Structures are given as C-alpha cells and as structure tokens.
Amino acid sequence: MIRFILLQNRQGKTRLAKYYVPLEDSEMHKVEYEVHRLVVNRDPKFTNFVEFRTHKIIYRRYAGLFFSMCVDITDNELAYLECIHLFVEILDHFFSNVCELDLVFNFHKVYLILDEFILAGELQETSKKAIIERMGELEKQE
Amino acid sequence: MAGGSSSSTASTPSLVDSLFQRSLDDLIKSLRSQLAGTEPVLLSRALAEIRREIRSSDPDTKAIALQKLTYLSSLYGLDASWAAFHALELLPSSSLLHKRLAYLAASLSFHPSTTDVIPLSTHQLRKDLSPSSPPHFSSLALHLLSLSASPDLARHLAPDLLPLLSPRSSPPSPLRPKAAAVALRALSLCPDVVPLLFKPLVDCLSSPDPRVVSAAVGAFAELASSGDPSPYLHLAPEFYRVLADSRSNWILIKLLKIFARLAPLEPRLAARLVDPLCDLLRRSSAQSLVFECVRTVFSGLPDHDRAVRLAVDKVREFLASADDPNLRYLGLRALSMLGPPHSWAVEESREAVTRSLADPDPNIRREALRLIMGMVFDSNVFEISILLVNYALKSDPIFANDILDAVLTTCGRNVYELIVDFDWYVSLLGEMARNPHCTRGEEIERQLVDIGLRVRDARPELVRVARDLLIDPALLGNPFLCRILSAAAWVSGEYVEFSRKPLELVEALLQPRTSLLPPLVRAVYIQAVFKVIVFCFNTYIDQLEISQLSSLGNSTTGGASSVIESKSAAAASCIADGITGIESNDGIATGDKPASLFSSMENKDPFTYESLTKMLILIETAVDLLAENDEVEVQERARNVLGLIHMLREVPTWKTEEQGFIKDNRIGEIVNLLQSMFSEELGPVSVNAQKRVPVPEGLVLEENLANLAWTLAEDDTAPSMSISFSLRSHQHGETKDDAVSSVQSTSLLAEHRKRHGLYYLPAEKDETESNDYPRANDPLLPASQGDASEDLVRLTDQSMIPRKVKHSKPRPVVIKLDEGDAVLTSPLTAVKESKDDLLSGAIHDVLLGKEGKPSSSQKRYLDKSSQRRVKDVSDNGESISLSKENLDLGDKEHRSSGSRRSKHRSHGKERHRSPQKNEEKEEKNHRNSTRSSHHHERHKHRQRGEALLNVAPQAPVIQDFLL
C-alpha cells in the first residue's frame, strides 16, 4: 500500500503531504526532510526508485516539483510510477497547465482530487476521465 | 470559494473578526510576499488570529479559520492538534463546504493514538455513513475513518460499513469500492470485526463493477502480503476467476501479488497459473504488468521451467534497455529473486550484470553487487572477491564500502562456510583494511579475531597480515582503521609463536605514532607487548635448557657451549651499555648502536641474550611514558609491563652469565608462571553461553537495578566511559604527554621508517605533519592498475555457476558453536507477527467457520447453512465452473462427513461432543497440527462465541477444485 505521498519543490518546501499511516508530527518532518534529500540530487538518468528505510520511494520530477510516493517493498514500482503520472495528468487537466502556484492556492482542492484518487493507501480510480467528472460534480455543488 | 467572509450572524463578540477576517488567499499572499526572515513573525501573528477566529460562533468564520490552520499545519508544519475539537464542532454542518473543510482538517490533524476527542466523532461519522445521507458526506466520513480510526472507532463503526459494502442495497452504493478499502483498514486495526466484514469483502470480488473488484483485490493483496497468506488459499478459485476475466492491468498486478504468495503453498495452484502467466508475459504491452508476471514466476513458480524460461527472456530484454534505467534496475532485482538453482539465468546475463557495476546510478550498482554476491560459491569466491576488492579501490567511497560490506558479509556468512583457503581470505582482509575508503573497521576487526579463534591453521598467515598492518605507521592515524589495528595487535600478541621476528613486532607495537590511537586500542597494544615478552623469555629459556642438556649429554660437542660462552660475554657488555644508555639518555634509546645490533641479530636466532636485553630496553623506554597516562586502561597495562620488566631485572642472575639462568631458576619460574597464564587457548564463545549459566538460587539479578534507571536518567551526562581515575587534571596531563611524545616522535619515527624501509613521504613533510593522517595507502597499486571496465570484463569470464572444484589443500577445521540456535528474533518483530497472526487467525476462523472443516471442498462451501451464503455461492458456483467437474469426485468422499459436521456447527453447543473426531483429524493433518494448536490457544483468549465454533482442527490447505 501507499504509505505517504509528498509533493516537494527543489528547495524542499512541501507543497502537499498526505500520510496513509499515522505518524507523529516530528516524524513527518523528518521523513519530509529525508525524502527530499534522497531525491533532490538524483540525476535524471537515474532510476525513479530509491530505497527508504524499510520501504521504497517512487518519485518523479516534473519541472521544479518532486512527486514522491512511499510504498511497500513488494509493490510494483512501474505501476506506481504510472500512478504518479496519472495524478499529474489529472492535476494538469483540472488546473489547465498546472504549476506550483496552483497547488499553493488550491491546496484543499488538491487534497480533494487526491482523495478521489487514493483512499486508505490504495488506488481507488485508474480512470482519468472518471475522476475529472467527479470533480466537476463536486465543483457544481459548491 | 474560500474567499467570502461572513456577515450573516448578528452581533457576537467576534463580529469585527468576522467582518475583517482574512481569507486563506489573503494569508497565502501575505506569506508569499513576506520579506526574508519575517516568516516566523507572520506565522505567529496568523496563528493568534486563527485562535481568536476559531472560537467564533459563526460557522463561516470558524470554517475559514480552520481552513487557514489546516493550510499552515500541512505546509508549514504548525501544530494543529489543539484545534481538534473545533474541527469536530464543524463536522455536523449541513453545508458541504464546511463539512469538507472540517473533515479535511480532521483527517490531517487527528492522530489515532494521541487525539483524545476521536471518540466524540463516532456519532457524527455514523450519521454520515448511513445510506440516507448524501454520498459526498459518506465519502468524507470514509476518508476520515481510513486515516484516523483507532481500533475502538473501527470496532464501533464496522457495522455501519455494511450497507455501503453490501451488493444488495439497490442501486449498489457508488461508495462500495471506498467502503472496501476502509473495511480493509478496519480489519487490520481490529481483528475482532473480521466475522462481520470479511464476508462482504469477499462478495465484492464477484461484483460486475471493476472498481469494486479492484478495491477488493487490492484489499486482499494487502492482507495476503502483510500476514500469513494461507487463509486466502480458500479464495483461490475466486481470484483465479478474476484473473481470467479482468482486463485491468491494475487488478491483474494486485492479483499476481496474491498468487505470488499463494502459489508456494499449493503446488496445484502453481501448475494452473503457468498458462495464464505465460500468456500475459507474451501478450501484455504494459511493462508494469510484465514485470509483475516475472516477479510472480520467480517467487511463486520457480519450478515451472516453461514460465521461468519466458520470464528470464523478459528480464534480459529489461537488462538490455539502454535508455531506461528503471527497467535495468528492475531486471537486476528480478534476477536476484531467483535462487541458486537458477544461477543459469544470471549466467546468461552475466555481462549485463557486471556492466551494471559501473552504472552511473548507485542503485543499479548496488543491485548488481547484491546479485553478484548472491552468486558466490566456494568455487568462485576467490576470483570474485579479489576482483571486487580491487574494483572497490577505484570506485567512489560509498560504493567502495558497499563492496567491502558485501564481500565481508558473504565470506563471513555462516562461519565462513564459503572459505576454503583461509590464508588467502586473511590476506584479503588485510587488503580491504588498506582500501583508502574503508570504514568497515569493526567488521574486519571482528573477523580477524574470530578467524584467529576458530581456525587454527590460519594463524601463521593471520600473524603475518597483522604484522604488515602494525608496522605501517601510516595506518595509525586513520580513525576507521584503529579497530582493525586493535585486532592485529591482539592477534600478534596472542599468537606470537608464529611471529617470525618478535623484536620487529615489539617495535611496531611501540612505534611513536601509536599515540594517535584511542586509549582502548593502545591498551591492547601494550598487552600484546606483554605477551611478546613472556613468549620470548620462555623460548629463550627453553633453548638454553635444551642446549644445556645436549652439552651435558654429549660433552664432545663442546664447541656449542663455547659459542654460547663467548656470546654471553659480548652480551654482558651490551647490557651494561644498554642500561647506562637508558640512564644517560633520559630514557630515549637512539643512536646507531641499537640499530646495528638489530641488523646483526636479525640474521641469527632471534632469541639471544642481547636481543632480549635490547628488547627490554626498548619496551621500558616506550612504556615508561605511559605509566602516568590519563587513561586507566593504558596506565594499568603499562604498569603491568613495567612491573614485569622490573621483576626480571631484580633477579640477581640477570647480570651474570647465561648459565646463571639455569642455576638460579627464578626467571624461569616467573616466565613459566606467566606463560601458563597465556598458554591456554582462547576459543570462540557461543552466543548463548550466558543463557546456559544457571542463575543461582536466591540471586536477584534485576530487582535492585531498577533503581539505577532512575539514577542514570538523572545524570546521563557522565557515562562511565569518561570517568577518569587519574590524579592529575586532564588538561595538564594531555599537554605534558603531547610534548614528550612529539619530541620523541620525529626522531623515533624516522628511525622506524628507515629500519623497515617502508613508505616514506618526503622527508621535509615528515617533520611537520605528525598528527594528520596520511592516506592509508597510495591510490596507485601496482597490481590492480587495469581499467575499471577491463576488470569487469575479467569478472565476466568467471563462471557464476557453482562447479565442483578440487581444492589443492583441504579446508582447515573451523570451530563452530551452537549451530542453528544463534538466530535471535527481536522482540519487536515478534510482536508484529503476533498481531498479524491475530488477523490471519481471525480470517481463518471466518473462512473455516463458514466454509467447513478439514479437507473442505467447494461443495461443502455450497452446503453452508447460512441462507445468504447459499444464495451468493450459486453465483460463485457458476463462476468456478471451469474446475467444477474435477471437484465432484472429491466431494462425494467428503459429503457425508461434511454435512454431519455442518450440523454440529448449527448447534454450537453440541460441538463439544466431537473432540474425539477432531483429534483423529488432527493426527491426520500433521502439517497443520502446530498451527491449529495455536488456534486453540488463541480461542481461549477470545471472548466471542462465534469464534469458539472453530475449535475444530483446521482445514488442510487442499483445494479439490484446483486438481
């Protein structure tokens, strides 16, 4: 299962953090710091996977933003890599050409999208279309 | 959206706040436009503002305050736990927006173990979960439940998940997949709810909606991979059906994960999986799915050659993909899953694997290393280790240490089971120590000492390697090597009888740069010196006795004794010189005379009167300085050595001729006494040795120590290590010591170097840098100068397939102790396992309770008394029709007993009358007996009535329908 998802910029500022396992606050900061340090200096030609404690981080960089997912050691790396890409595509569609600023100003919407996408550490929906439709419904109701 | 500030409520104390409340956008803008360094001020101001606003009775104001707090806590890491109650206040709001904000705040800030208001949310969650509330509300509640549920909350709300999970609610709830995911969380938090939730979760597998199936499969994959997979074997037909039907890669990947866990338990299942897996391997274009197939084949079906062959081909494609490091990495990972029986697969990709050692990505390098080390056998350990250790010289420090680690672990595995030629291995250890990047001193230290203790035949070579390490002054300054040097010193002292030149050894042990070593290591050095003295004297006296005997026995060879006579005369004068030398030179033995003495002696027998005298002088000179050392260990050992020397000197015969040694045997006695102290051979100590010592009756081991915990907590600034027993103040002693040693170090170091012709940095540099350490060795080693890739190519020549080789010499005896019981399990993992057991046990119970008894067949699954079940299963029956013909046969055999037992089950209380039968059954099912006994135990503790139904022995994991 997915243990947590982090969106961080190159400076290490967290733009989104969602933990699917309960962690203490101090532990979260430590994790965010460590994950950033792990991924930020990796060459683009390197693999998108890094071992992290007893788990592994699947990450991918989009412009200045790192999308990192911590998953179990037996989980399928490529599938989660696709998963990250799908999430970015959804964000991109929703904010039309998403940039870091969109995420900053609409952080609760990003959480909403994420919640449609992943629940309890399990992928809920693999169809981009379905999520976008559902987000549309929610927008209407507000 | 968030922008609107409220004006709705009438005058409240916070009206001003409400009117002029900053929206989240305002807050973000102000934070972004801040000047450098003002962020903490802005944050604390914003926080104060939020604290005020959040108490407002106006829900809009409260909601916006909460939103701002959520933003700050999730992105700036501010503590939001204090606002848990305010989030709770907003949960019942009827506005979707407010509700959503409240749920978001709650899900980000509630912590199952520390937030004490969580139980207060039970009612509201129940209300939002109910089928009558809008799906959006339920969805929010499900999210909160999945993130912040405590075991209690999970237990209380599990019944409320049922309507959402159930396929019978019409139309089926759109939230069914979400409910399935949350049900999984509830199951793992609180195994008590298994009887309630497990069955609906199973039903989800047969839903027509792929999202529901996906969620359920995901849940089972998680359950099967986190605990004991055997209970889910009963669901194998269901999974198999989904595997055949589903087209979603995601579902297939998760299914394969389940099968990878189940296949090793049931060979017939594995056999049935070969076809679909091969099909997927050939057909699928999705790399993720292909990789999952490969992984499943390698871990679950390693005996099915057809599938393995196909998978290995895919792996080779992965390894060959030049542009995608991910695939190369995964290819390596997949290969490392294959065990030694399939080393041919690695053999086939040998070139790609070894090339990966030079990959730019450290992950790939490490994986390649792991793979190569997995392929090491006693036949090739020699070649591979040497090449890797040489390669480590050229790679970056981190990877170099990875390599050293891997070689050390592999070679040291299971008491050096791979090593045949210990002489070679010991010298390899010496080489590793000289790697400039080496930081693995501790492990090398351990192995050096360990081999010394365990392998008698390796000791001469061990002493030689230790000598080379000790004599090199450059190594002394490297803090990573001091542990190795400590081992080398210990080895040379303990096995000094194998030392070719004990005098040289003493010199090395006392060389000036040893002042750079940590005190504990120095203590080992001095103790080694002590052992060398004792050994030398002992040997000398033995020699004398022998020559005496021979001269007595055969007086015609008077020549021998006359040689001794003349030698002793010369020696006497030397001693006199030496002793006056000490006195006049203020303890510093320098000058050409000792050096020339040495050079003359080295050609002769090592133990002569002169050489011993010279040695004593040398030792006394060097150790004298340490007698006042601040460190108690060093001081004590130094005084021991000095005490011994004084004692030897006191003996009057010392100054007379050699015959005196024999006549007045006091020196002989002293030396014999000490020799007997060291002569007993030290052996390895069993890991469990301590445990085997019975605690004497009446001895209280721990009780009084409990008080210590308090004392230590009080004063943890002074750990015992730093307590100084010295009379002088630290500072003072330090400077004095340094001054003395630096005066000496330059002259003695120069001498030491000159004598051993080792390693000389430019002379002028020598004088200045006494304390910063030079590199452990020159990076350019003559033998290993080939290009990195060249070496790697050579590695590819080495076969990775184990082959029988005839060893030129037999493997020496390696002493092993307590084989098998050395493995200690940490209490932590034990606790975790027990929890997993609880869950899988509960699932076992549910599956067996509902599906029948030992050797339960699908039919009995159909025979279930529960009516609901019968209805469901009729669908299932169709779905598994592909294997149905097979199962009928098995069914007939079991039908009668099955129905009889199901009767028992329906009258729970009668169950007690069939223990006899249960016992028989248990005997039949040998392989399950242990596990079922565990179950018995667990049941005792469980209060639930329904669980008690399952005291009957467990079903053997045989699925007739898979035949």
Side-chain angles (χ1 to χ4, degrees):
Chain A
M1 70 178 270
I2 303 169
R3 303 282 150 160
F4 59 79
I5 293 177
L6 289 179
L7 268 63
Q8 296 169 307
N9 66 12
R10 259 189 305 184
Q11 289 75 41
K13 262 212 174 313
T14 304
R15 289 310 182 197
L16 178 90
K18 182 103 182 177
Y19 293 85
Y20 295 99
V21 285
L23 282 186
E24 295 295 333
D25 275 2
S26 57
E27 190 59 25
M28 286 184 193
H29 299 316
K30 219 162 99 193
V31 162
E32 282 164 33
Y33 172 75
E34 282 178 31
V35 169
H36 176 252
R37 237 187 26 180
L38 267 182
V39 300
V40 74
N41 286 325
R42 282 178 64 84
D43 192 278
K45 288 197 290 288
F46 287 3
T47 55
N48 297 81
F49 325 126
V50 230
E51 283 176 23
F52 175 70
R53 300 183 187 177
T54 52
H55 293 82
K56 58 194 174 195
I57 302 280
I58 316 294
Y59 76 96
R60 191 155 178 174
R61 183 178 161 174
Y62 292 88
L65 217 50
F66 290 91
F67 288 68
S68 314
M69 239 180 218
C70 178
V71 297
D72 289 343
I73 210 77
T74 52
D75 276 327
N76 189 307
E77 291 90 345
L78 294 172
Y80 283 106
L81 198 59
E82 287 165 22
C83 190
I84 290 178
H85 190 66
L86 180 62
F87 182 52
V88 176
E89 279 185 346
I90 295 167
L91 290 179
D92 197 54
H93 186 276
F94 189 80
F95 293 109
S96 50
N97 277 327
V98 66
C99 70
E100 203 177 324
L101 223 55
D102 290 320
L103 306 183
V104 171
F105 279 97
N106 298 292
F107 90 106
H108 51 288
K109 282 195 191 167
V110 182
Y111 275 117
L112 212 57
I113 298 173
L114 188 61
D115 283 348
E116 285 302 320
F117 191 46
I118 295 165
L119 171 64
E122 299 291 331
L123 201 64
Q124 273 291 305
E125 183 59 80
T126 48
S127 150
K128 186 164 67 165
K129 203 168 131 242
I131 293 183
I132 287 166
E133 275 172 13
R134 214 152 329 129
M135 287 306 296
E137 275 173 45
L138 287 175
E139 289 269 282
K140 257 184 266 162
Q141 287 173 355
E142 274 183 22
Chain B
M1 29 149 271
S5 57
S6 86
S7 54
S8 54
T9 33
S11 70
T12 62
S14 61
L15 178 60
V16 180
D17 288 339
S18 307
L19 280 176
F20 299 104
Q21 187 180 25
R22 287 200 291 172
S23 71
L24 177 62
D25 278 9
D26 297 337
L27 176 67
I28 296 174
K29 278 177 194 149
S30 79
L31 280 170
R32 288 185 65 82
S33 59
Q34 57 159 325
L35 298 166
T38 56
E39 188 182 284
V41 184
L42 280 175
L43 284 181
S44 62
R45 199 184 302 155
L47 202 60
E49 188 180 284
I50 289 167
R51 278 180 188 276
R52 206 168 51 240
E53 291 163 4
I54 209 165
R55 278 196 290 271
S56 160
S57 55
D58 170 37
D60 283 327
T61 314
K62 195 188 267 297
I64 288 171
L66 196 60
Q67 188 186 28
K68 289 194 287 190
L69 182 65
T70 310
Y71 177 82
L72 293 180
S73 79
S74 67
L75 297 193
Y76 288 83
L78 297 190
D79 174 39
S81 54
W82 57 271
F85 186 73
H86 298 291
L88 212 59
E89 282 181 313
L90 266 185
L91 283 186
S93 166
S94 55
S95 140
L96 178 61
L97 184 64
H98 290 171
K99 214 179 185 64
R100 197 186 287 154
L101 289 176
Y103 268 110
L104 178 61
S107 66
L108 290 176
S109 66
F110 281 15
H111 195 284
S113 55
T114 54
T115 309
D116 43 7
V117 296
I118 286 183
L120 300 179
S121 64
T122 316
H123 176 68
Q124 186 57 40
L125 282 172
R126 180 168 288 150
K127 210 170 133 195
D128 285 337
L129 283 175
S130 82
S132 54
S133 55
H136 298 307
F137 288 13
S138 310
S139 165
L140 290 169
L142 286 173
H143 276 114
L144 182 60
L145 200 54
S146 77
L147 291 172
S148 312
S150 57
D152 278 344
L153 198 64
R155 188 178 300 121
H156 289 137
L157 291 177
D160 300 283
L161 291 175
L162 281 180
L164 297 173
L165 268 179
S166 159
R168 261 166 303 284
S169 48
S170 51
S173 165
L175 297 176
R176 213 173 155 204
K178 291 191 176 184
V182 176
L184 164 68
R185 181 54 67 90
L187 290 184
S188 43
L189 277 174
C190 173
D192 289 359
V193 302
V194 167
L196 193 64
L197 291 180
F198 194 72
K199 167 77 179 48
L201 206 53
V202 175
D203 293 342
C204 285
L205 287 174
S206 40
S207 160
D209 181 355
R211 291 171 59 233
V212 178
V213 179
S214 168
V217 169
F220 283 112
E222 190 60 33
L223 286 171
S225 63
S226 61
D228 171 22
S230 57
Y232 312 102
L233 209 47
H234 299 269
L235 297 171
E238 280 291 282
F239 296 140
Y240 195 85
R241 179 186 57 75
V242 179
L243 182 71
D245 293 349
S246 179
R247 287 287 157 269
S248 151
N249 287 342
W250 187 257
I251 295 181
L252 290 174
I253 287 173
K254 290 280 180 188
L255 271 176
L256 290 178
K257 289 216 166 301
I258 302 176
F259 281 126
R261 298 277 288 169
L262 296 183
L265 301 176
E266 176 52 70
R268 283 168 297 178
L269 175 62
R272 284 193 68 103
L273 283 173
V274 172
D275 277 331
L277 275 173
C278 289
D279 204 35
L280 283 176
L281 273 172
R282 269 190 226 102
R283 229 186 41 221
S284 176
S285 58
Q287 301 286 30
S288 52
L289 182 56
V290 170
F291 177 62
E292 199 57 51
C293 288
V294 168
R295 185 140 63 180
T296 308
V297 169
F298 285 178
S299 60
L301 302 84
D303 305 327
H304 296 267
D305 290 337
R306 187 158 61 95
V308 172
R309 181 70 256 173
L310 202 59
V312 168
D313 288 345
K314 283 287 169 190
V315 168
R316 293 183 71 183
E317 283 174 30
F318 278 17
L319 288 176
S321 61
D323 54 337
D324 192 346
N326 287 342
L327 291 184
R328 292 204 303 274
Y329 172 76
L330 292 178
L332 292 172
R333 283 214 76 128
L335 278 186
S336 59
M337 261 182 256
L338 276 176
H342 294 282
S343 49
W344 57 268
V346 185
E347 180 74 13
E348 278 185 5
S349 313
R350 201 173 55 198
E351 214 183 310
V353 173
T354 41
R355 225 186 312 111
S356 306
L357 273 183
D359 201 278
D361 185 349
N363 285 355
I364 294 183
R365 290 203 299 257
R366 210 169 300 139
E367 211 50 55
L369 178 64
R370 214 179 278 177
L371 191 53
I372 290 175
M373 291 328 283
M375 291 297 142
V376 170
F377 304 99
D378 53 356
S379 55
N380 59 12
V381 62
F382 182 77
E383 296 92 341
I384 292 183
S385 303
I386 288 186
L387 282 164
L388 284 177
V389 169
N390 283 338
Y391 185 66
L393 285 173
K394 283 164 243 144
S395 46
D396 60 294
I398 296 173
F399 192 54
N401 278 306
D402 283 345
I403 291 179
L404 296 185
D405 250 355
V407 174
L408 285 170
T409 328
T410 310
C411 293
R413 190 173 58 209
N414 205 0
V415 203
Y416 317 100
E417 61 177 359
L418 290 177
I419 308 296
V420 175
D421 182 354
F422 275 89
D423 287 355
W424 160 75
Y425 184 57
V426 166
S427 58
L428 186 75
L429 286 175
E431 263 177 61
M432 287 193 228
R434 284 163 180 276
N435 186 306
H437 308 303
C438 175
T439 58
R440 295 296 182 262
E442 269 178 53
E443 179 60 15
I444 298 179
E445 174 203 26
R446 192 192 68 76
Q447 293 200 2
L448 283 174
V449 173
D450 197 43
I451 292 176
L453 295 176
R454 289 179 196 270
V455 193
R456 192 187 292 266
D457 296 354
R459 286 174 192 167
E461 180 65 12
L462 200 57
V463 169
R464 199 193 58 74
V465 168
R467 174 253 177 213
D468 288 352
L469 290 172
L470 290 174
I471 210 160
D472 189 341
L475 303 180
L476 284 165
N478 184 339
F480 292 114
L481 295 188
C482 60
R483 302 288 300 266
I484 303 174
L485 293 175
S486 155
W490 185 84
V491 162
S492 337
E494 186 65 25
Y495 307 116
V496 60
E497 65 265 29
F498 298 112
S499 175
R500 265 173 251 156
K501 297 175 189 165
L503 297 171
E504 182 192 65
L505 179 63
V506 168
E507 275 227 310
L509 287 170
L510 294 173
Q511 59 180 295
R513 280 176 67 95
T514 49
S515 61
L516 299 176
L517 291 171
L520 284 177
V521 179
R522 269 194 120 175
V524 177
Y525 267 60
I526 300 169
Q527 186 70 4
V529 170
F530 192 90
K531 290 178 187 167
V532 176
I533 301 177
V534 172
F535 169 77
C536 291
F537 270 82
N538 196 44
T539 319
Y540 177 62
I541 288 170
D542 284 355
Q543 273 175 6
L544 280 182
E545 275 169 358
I546 290 167
S547 66
Q548 187 117 41
L549 282 177
S550 65
S551 67
L552 283 177
N554 189 0
S555 55
T556 46
T557 56
S561 60
S562 72
V563 169
I564 296 176
E565 298 279 338
S566 65
K567 220 198 282 173
S568 66
S573 68
C574 277
I575 294 165
D577 277 359
I579 291 171
T580 51
I582 291 175
E583 280 153 5
S584 61
N585 279 345
D586 205 13
I588 304 170
T590 50
D592 296 330
K593 205 191 290 170
S596 63
L597 247 180
F598 263 110
S599 55
S600 67
M601 282 180 326
E602 270 162 17
N603 303 325
K604 296 190 216 155
D605 189 298
F607 305 115
T608 61
Y609 192 56
E610 309 105 73
S611 66
L612 288 183
T613 317
K614 164 66 186 138
M615 189 169 85
L616 284 192
I617 292 167
L618 177 80
I619 294 170
E620 199 175 14
T621 317
V623 175
D624 223 13
L625 300 169
L626 301 173
E628 300 276 298
N629 195 288
D630 274 353
E631 287 296 334
V632 66
E633 284 284 342
V634 178
Q635 194 192 71
E636 190 178 354
R637 314 254 162 184
R639 284 183 178 259
N640 280 348
V641 172
L642 290 174
L644 175 65
I645 294 177
H646 288 310
M647 199 154 65
L648 294 173
R649 284 257 171 76
E650 294 282 299
V651 180
T653 47
W654 174 254
K655 290 190 182 172
T656 67
E657 47 198 43
E658 285 170 341
Q659 300 298 337
F661 272 75
I662 312 263
K663 281 179 198 142
D664 177 357
N665 208 11
R666 273 183 62 200
I667 291 194
E669 279 169 21
I670 294 171
V671 167
N672 270 334
L673 198 67
L674 289 169
Q675 178 70 16
S676 67
M677 207 166 86
F678 294 124
S679 62
E680 184 162 336
E681 190 166 315
L682 296 175
V685 180
S686 154
V687 186
N688 299 322
Q690 181 80 49
K691 252 188 258 164
R692 296 201 194 108
V693 181
V695 179
E697 238 174 277
L699 176 64
V700 184
L701 275 181
E702 280 166 13
E703 204 170 281
N704 294 331
L705 294 178
N707 302 333
L708 267 183
W710 182 79
T711 320
L712 287 175
E714 277 294 278
D715 183 22
D716 54 0
T717 50
S720 56
M721 286 295 285
S722 68
I723 293 174
S724 164
F725 294 95
S726 162
L727 294 173
R728 291 182 299 179
S729 81
H730 257 275
Q731 202 54 42
H732 180 67
E734 205 73 25
T735 48
K736 193 182 168 196
D737 252 12
D738 279 359
V740 176
S741 66
S742 68
V743 169
Q744 294 201 341
S745 61
T746 40
S747 59
L748 288 181
L749 180 62
E751 195 195 321
H752 176 84
R753 284 181 169 163
K754 203 161 108 201
R755 182 165 312 139
H756 299 287
L758 289 163
Y759 188 122
Y760 292 129
L761 298 170
E764 66 275 15
K765 225 180 154 189
D766 261 8
E767 301 300 315
T768 50
E769 53 103 50
S770 59
N771 272 11
D772 55 348
Y773 82 91
R775 293 170 74 81
N777 59 351
D778 267 358
L780 301 181
L781 280 188
S784 54
Q785 264 330 287
D787 186 26
S789 51
E790 214 173 281
D791 263 7
L792 292 180
V793 171
R794 273 172 58 206
L795 184 53
T796 63
D797 297 339
Q798 308 300 335
S799 170
M800 298 203 177
I801 287 187
R803 52 176 197 262
K804 280 272 169 258
V805 283
K806 284 232 172 106
H807 299 291
S808 51
K809 54 179 177 176
R811 186 170 190 265
V813 182
V814 181
I815 303 167
K816 287 191 200 179
L817 296 167
D818 49 32
E819 280 188 83
D821 60 355
V823 187
L824 301 167
T825 50
S826 86
L828 199 72
T829 54
V831 168
K832 190 186 177 306
E833 272 167 18
S834 77
K835 201 188 166 188
D836 285 346
D837 267 7
L838 211 61
L839 176 58
S840 61
I843 287 168
H844 246 299
D845 297 346
V846 169
L847 279 165
L848 296 181
K850 296 199 167 158
E851 290 177 16
K853 297 281 160 122
S855 69
S856 78
S857 65
Q858 184 68 6
K859 200 64 176 184
R860 222 171 304 124
Y861 185 58
L862 295 177
D863 279 346
K864 281 277 302 97
S865 51
S866 147
Q867 292 185 343
R868 248 176 69 184
R869 191 65 198 149
V870 170
K871 187 164 166 259
D872 284 345
V873 166
S874 58
D875 308 348
N876 290 349
E878 276 164 38
S879 63
I880 52 144
S881 60
L882 72 163
S883 50
K884 200 141 179 238
E885 292 90 339
N886 297 332
L887 60 92
D888 279 342
L889 201 74
D891 272 336
K892 277 169 198 151
E893 291 172 15
H894 296 292
R895 178 87 64 108
S896 55
S897 69
S899 57
R900 195 167 60 226
R901 228 169 280 137
S902 70
K903 206 161 102 197
H904 282 304
R905 219 176 307 119
S906 53
H907 315 286
K909 279 169 193 156
E910 283 178 30
R911 182 186 45 81
H912 300 295
R913 292 182 197 165
S914 58
Q916 182 77 40
K917 204 193 306 156
N918 291 347
E919 273 163 34
E920 283 168 29
K921 210 69 198 181
E922 224 160 54
E923 274 167 27
K924 266 189 229 161
N925 302 320
H926 249 297
R927 59 173 169 156
N928 278 321
S929 59
T930 16
R931 208 185 297 137
S932 38
S933 73
H934 280 294
H935 275 259
H936 286 299
E937 238 174 297
R938 211 176 295 126
H939 289 298
K940 269 184 222 154
H941 299 295
R942 188 120 359 120
Q943 312 286 317
R944 317 219 138 214
E946 64 238 290
L948 278 170
L949 287 174
N950 303 306
V951 183
Q954 225 172 4
V957 282
I958 292 170
Q959 299 277 301
D960 294 334
F961 42 86
L962 284 170
L963 279 168

